Amino acid sequence: MQTPLSDIWTWLSDVPDPEIPAISLVDLGVIRNVAWDNDTLEVTITPTYAGCPATSIINLDVETALRAKGIDNIRLKRQLAPPWTTDWLSKDAHQKLEAYGIAPPRPAGGPQHCPQCHSAMVEKISQFGSTPCKAQWRCKDCLEPFDYFKCI
Amino acid sequence: MDPTVEYLLRLGDNALILGQRVSEWCGHAPALEEDIALANIALDLIGQTQLWLGLAGEIEGQGRNADDLAFLRDVYDFRNSLLVEQPNQDFAVTMMRQFLFDAFSALQLDALTHSKNVEIAAIAAKCHKEALYHLDRSSETVIGLGDGTDISHAKMQNALDRLWVYAGELVSADDLDRTMAKAGVGVDLDALHTPYFETVRATLATATLRVPDTDFAHKGGKSGQRHSEHLGHILTSMQWLQRAYPGAKW
Ligand SMILES: [Zn+2]
């Protein structure tokens, strides 16, 4: 029996990103498609960064979550093109990231304000941070460093 | 060897050897932020390697995957340019090497997004975004240190003087490059030569560095004919585990 795809999407939107558990894999925009091919569920996943070590964990977590719901035949498909972009983060993801203490990406190129005190007096420390998708910034008012989810 | 496979080895080996080189800094960089940045760049490069070498193995069709190609080939099978195998020396040499590579890589990957091979185009589009980030950072660093203190300027000048003779190989087309460009699969390096040196010279000028007065370019890396003695040492440490314990899994 084929579970409705809307259920699959709901289940997947409960699977947290392994590195930023405040958002789900669906929020992150890496689940590109789900489709039934006879009795096999094909899930199309795109990597965030080519070398992101979370990629294999993401695949494992998707498979584990679907198996727990009784889906036995799963095929994971890697899709490179079009390449992942932060434009694919959901609207919810922006709010969840900010609440978690990570400044969400902005096309303007830097964080709008410090996720802790909301001061706009922020400066870049480094273009690279604790994971490939983040940069390090610092608030000049509360003096706290914070992660910025960088645009790509 | 199938020309497409050999071409992919050039792309993959550049990323692999530079990624391995840069990862040598992990835990040793002059500041925590630099350590993290270098580790991230190494990670991106190793990720790119997996895509390029993975595709090379698929097209080759002899059952070799990206790991087999990375860990079970010897020096003369490698097709990376001489620049990326040059030792780290100090932070100045490392960042100058990175800049000379990034400026090339960003142009090369951008052009490869138009490759007639859709898989190559897809990988290039993915990697190009990362290359632009790398180039941003390495350019900023070269400018900051070049146009910095007397000591940082002298170190960057020394780095440039050492590495300049390795930049030319990146954009010098050989028969394989021309064959692949003609087929619409690879990049026309002759067309990249001018924009590459324009970008590089502009940044170096902003960095107040003096470009060495020579067009000489060491060659033999990407053809595999004359690697420097450094590549063997890289492979010794990189391949040690798989050589000593064949098939060992993480
Ligand atoms: Zn603050």
Side-chain angles (χ1 to χ4, degrees):
Chain A
M1 197 201 77
Q2 296 184 352
T3 308
L5 293 175
S6 56
D7 287 358
I8 307 285
W9 279 106
T10 307
W11 296 340
L12 291 177
S13 58
D14 283 336
V15 182
D17 173 79
E19 284 180 334
I20 310 170
I23 60 173
S24 78
L25 295 179
V26 174
D27 284 329
L28 187 63
V30 295
I31 311 286
R32 300 315 298 159
N33 195 36
V34 290
W36 282 106
D37 175 13
N38 294 316
D39 62 345
T40 300
L41 182 68
E42 185 177 84
V43 183
T44 306
I45 304 178
T46 196
T48 52
Y49 285 74
C52 185
T55 306
S56 57
I57 307 294
I58 286 174
N59 289 348
L60 184 69
D61 288 353
V62 165
E63 204 169 332
T64 309
L66 293 173
R67 283 201 196 289
K69 295 288 186 182
I71 311 272
D72 290 324
N73 296 325
I74 304 162
R75 186 166 63 231
L76 300 182
K77 195 173 123 190
R78 183 186 73 182
Q79 179 179 300
L80 288 180
W84 179 80
T85 157
T86 35
D87 296 346
W88 293 347
L89 285 176
S90 70
K91 273 227 147 51
D92 283 357
H94 283 247
Q95 286 155 12
K96 289 177 189 172
L97 284 171
E98 173 120 13
Y100 191 63
I102 298 172
R106 279 204 323 154
Q112 187 184 12
H113 53 224
C114 162
Q116 270 98 24
C117 76
H118 293 170
S119 162
M121 298 293 289
V122 292
E123 64 180 352
K124 184 171 81 181
I125 301 174
S126 171
Q127 213 154 21
F128 294 88
S130 53
T131 65
C133 57
K134 287 178 272 165
Q136 294 176 78
W137 284 63
R138 169 168 47 207
C139 174
K140 293 204 252 186
D141 278 327
C142 73
L143 304 180
E144 287 291 322
F146 63 89
D147 277 334
Y148 166 58
F149 204 107
K150 66 196 183 199
C151 283
I152 192 166
Chain B
M1 199 186 312
D2 178 307
T4 306
V5 173
E6 183 159 12
Y7 194 73
L8 286 165
L9 291 181
R10 291 184 175 187
L11 289 158
D13 289 346
N14 270 349
L16 174 61
I17 298 304
L18 186 58
Q20 174 72 14
R21 266 290 184 235
V22 173
S23 75
E24 290 169 14
W25 276 103
C26 196
H28 301 276
L32 182 60
E33 289 77 12
E34 296 307 329
D35 205 286
I36 292 170
L38 287 165
N40 266 292
I41 290 166
L43 187 64
D44 285 344
L45 289 167
I46 299 299
Q48 297 177 9
T49 305
Q50 287 172 333
L51 299 175
W52 293 126
L53 294 187
L55 183 57
E58 263 174 48
I59 296 177
E60 184 191 48
Q62 290 176 19
R64 293 203 284 182
N65 63 22
D67 282 342
D68 296 330
L69 288 169
F71 295 124
L72 302 177
R73 284 180 302 147
D74 208 341
V75 169
Y76 292 101
D77 305 323
F78 272 74
R79 293 291 181 269
N80 60 281
S81 300
L82 296 171
L83 175 72
V84 299
E85 66 196 43
Q86 298 309 306
N88 290 339
Q89 303 282 347
D90 57 16
F91 188 67
V93 171
T94 296
M95 291 315 299
M96 183 60 75
R97 185 187 61 203
Q98 191 69 36
F99 165 67
L100 293 172
F101 178 78
D102 291 342
F104 165 69
S105 177
L107 285 169
Q108 182 193 38
L109 293 170
D110 189 29
L112 279 175
T113 61
H114 304 295
S115 172
K116 278 187 187 161
N117 179 313
V118 291
E119 287 166 296
I120 290 180
I123 296 173
K126 180 92 207 143
C127 301
H128 181 239
K129 290 178 160 213
E130 300 175 4
L132 290 178
Y133 259 108
H134 299 174
L135 178 59
D136 266 0
R137 173 171 178 277
S138 56
S139 304
E140 272 179 25
T141 311
V142 164
I143 292 169
L145 293 176
D147 189 16
T149 65
D150 287 349
I151 292 174
S152 74
H153 176 85
K155 288 192 172 187
M156 291 312 282
Q157 187 63 54
N158 169 59
L160 178 59
D161 293 347
R162 280 184 95 96
L163 295 174
W164 184 247
V165 289
Y166 298 106
E169 187 189 18
L170 299 170
V171 286
S172 302
D174 62 9
D175 287 348
L176 177 66
D177 290 314
R178 296 210 170 90
T179 305
M180 296 305 288
K182 221 170 173 185
V185 175
V187 174
D188 178 4
L189 281 186
D190 295 320
L192 246 56
H193 197 277
T194 305
Y196 173 70
F197 280 110
E198 275 174 7
T199 307
V200 166
R201 283 175 183 275
T203 301
L204 294 175
T206 311
T208 71
L209 295 169
R210 182 182 35 77
V211 174
D213 187 21
T214 175
D215 290 337
F216 176 73
H218 282 293
K219 287 176 192 164
K222 68 180 178 182
S223 66
Q225 284 165 359
R226 272 191 309 278
H227 280 290
S228 63
E229 71 272 27
H230 307 298
L231 182 59
H233 291 273
I234 298 175
L235 298 189
T236 303
S237 81
M238 185 178 84
Q239 298 183 333
W240 174 83
L241 194 104
Q242 282 302 323
R243 299 289 191 181
Y245 301 94
K249 280 211 160 45
W250 186 243

